[in-house]
Amino acid sequence: DGSRQLVAEPFAPNFWRASLDNDWRGWKPGVYLSDWKTAPEYLAAATADIKTAVEGNVAVINVIRDIHNGKALLGLTYSVYPDGKVKVSYDLKIGENTPEPLRVGLQGQIAGVDKVTYFGRGPQENYSDRNDGIFLGTWTSSVAEMMMQYVFPQENGNRTDVRWIRLSDAKGKGLKVTGEQPLSVSVWNTTQDELDKAKHIGEAKMLEGSVVLNVDLVQTGVGGTDSWSQKARPYDRYRLTKKEYSYSFWLSLQ
């Protein structure tokens, strides 16, 4: 009806994840890759290069952000179409001497939704190195069912090879995200910070009236050759060691 605000918190760059058992017990990215954990705070304080233009009947906003004084460069382009659809394009260039991130993506909060439907690998959670036996299909669940309640709270609920995901209310109204390539997504009823600081199941504070939506290109694998040394790190092919990452997706009302 034109009066509802769906986006409770705007989408912001996210390069980190709540620590997995293999992370904090084993290869310790919080020690070796910590610049990526603080990158969003740096971006929030830094000055952005913002340009706007009208191309035909499409409004285009280009944003360039420097990460930690040249360690990486992030470009975001938002193209707003007359029918209300928004195309988001994301380009990350990582410096030659900058270590790898844990994820490449955007994180926001969507208000007033509880039902999730997506086409991708499921129905259970899966990761780049944990999805061989998880099949493509159209899956529907609640937000709570999208999550995995580990005894020690941590990153959870990821889905890979997602072509589209729709978050909706009881009337079927909501937001759809459609990737121009397969996405990695998750939906939580709590925040990443809450998952990261909680030490026991049930300690993470639940959100009221909104849910977290992660729209990522990719997240590093789970790893786990062991869980107490550098061997806990994912195999190289499941790490984010490339120096350039690009993806795009569409936002549309449903």
Side-chain angles (χ1 to χ4, degrees):
D1 58 8
S3 62
R4 180 179 171 188
Q5 179 72 33
L6 273 173
V7 180
E9 291 287 343
F11 286 94
N14 187 22
F15 311 102
W16 203 247
R17 68 180 178 194
S19 292
L20 300 170
D21 287 336
N22 290 334
D23 295 345
W24 72 272
R25 292 180 189 273
W27 66 296
K28 295 179 171 52
V31 175
Y32 302 109
L33 311 178
S34 59
D35 277 349
W36 289 109
K37 184 175 183 179
T38 58
E41 301 168 19
Y42 182 87
L43 287 173
T47 301
D49 179 11
I50 302 174
K51 295 179 181 178
T52 60
V54 176
E55 300 176 1
N57 59 357
V58 180
V60 180
I61 303 98
N62 287 294
V63 183
I64 304 294
R65 303 301 297 265
D66 174 80
I67 301 174
H68 283 305
N69 296 317
K71 290 188 175 181
L73 198 66
L74 175 63
L76 292 167
T77 301
Y78 303 90
S79 301
V80 184
Y81 287 75
D83 61 0
K85 291 182 179 178
V86 178
K87 181 180 179 181
V88 182
S89 299
Y90 180 115
D91 294 285
L92 178 65
K93 293 180 172 58
I94 301 172
E96 198 60 37
N97 297 317
T98 303
E100 73 223 59
L102 292 183
R103 77 197 311 151
V104 172
L106 293 164
Q107 183 183 95
Q109 289 186 29
I110 310 301
V113 295
D114 184 64
K115 181 180 177 182
V116 181
T117 304
Y118 71 95
F119 179 77
R121 291 187 184 268
Q124 63 268 57
E125 70 170 0
N126 54 92
Y127 295 80
S128 59
D129 58 352
R130 295 290 192 280
N131 66 5
D132 282 351
I134 313 297
F135 301 109
L136 284 171
T138 301
W139 312 100
T140 298
S141 75
S142 67
V143 172
E145 290 168 339
M146 286 286 285
M147 300 181 67
M148 189 72 177
Q149 297 297 329
Y150 290 102
V151 173
F152 190 101
Q154 55 196 280
E155 182 77 27
N156 71 88
N158 192 72
R159 268 67 171 180
T160 59
D161 289 332
V162 173
R163 274 55 170 182
W164 56 263
I165 182 169
R166 181 171 63 243
L167 278 65
S168 55
D169 60 17
K171 296 181 179 179
K173 302 293 184 180
L175 182 73
K176 184 177 183 181
V177 179
T178 305
E180 292 216 324
Q181 66 294 294
L183 301 169
S184 178
V185 306
S186 53
V187 186
W188 304 326
N189 56 19
T190 187
T191 67
Q192 185 168 302
D193 285 343
E194 286 291 320
L195 288 171
D196 212 19
K197 72 183 183 182
K199 302 303 181 186
H200 301 92
I201 191 169
E203 283 186 356
K205 183 179 178 181
M206 299 295 102
L207 288 166
E208 296 182 5
S210 66
V211 300
V212 169
L213 172 61
N214 292 293
V215 182
D216 305 324
L217 172 63
V218 65
Q219 182 183 153
T220 195
V222 173
T225 300
D226 67 32
S227 61
W228 58 86
S229 76
Q230 283 296 302
K231 290 182 180 180
R233 188 174 65 183
Y235 291 142
D236 288 352
R237 63 183 178 273
Y238 301 118
R239 294 166 55 196
L240 309 186
T241 56
K242 296 179 181 178
K243 293 302 179 182
E244 293 190 16
Y245 291 92
S246 297
Y247 76 112
S248 57
F249 58 88
W250 292 82
L251 298 173
S252 58
L253 298 177
Q254 296 290 294

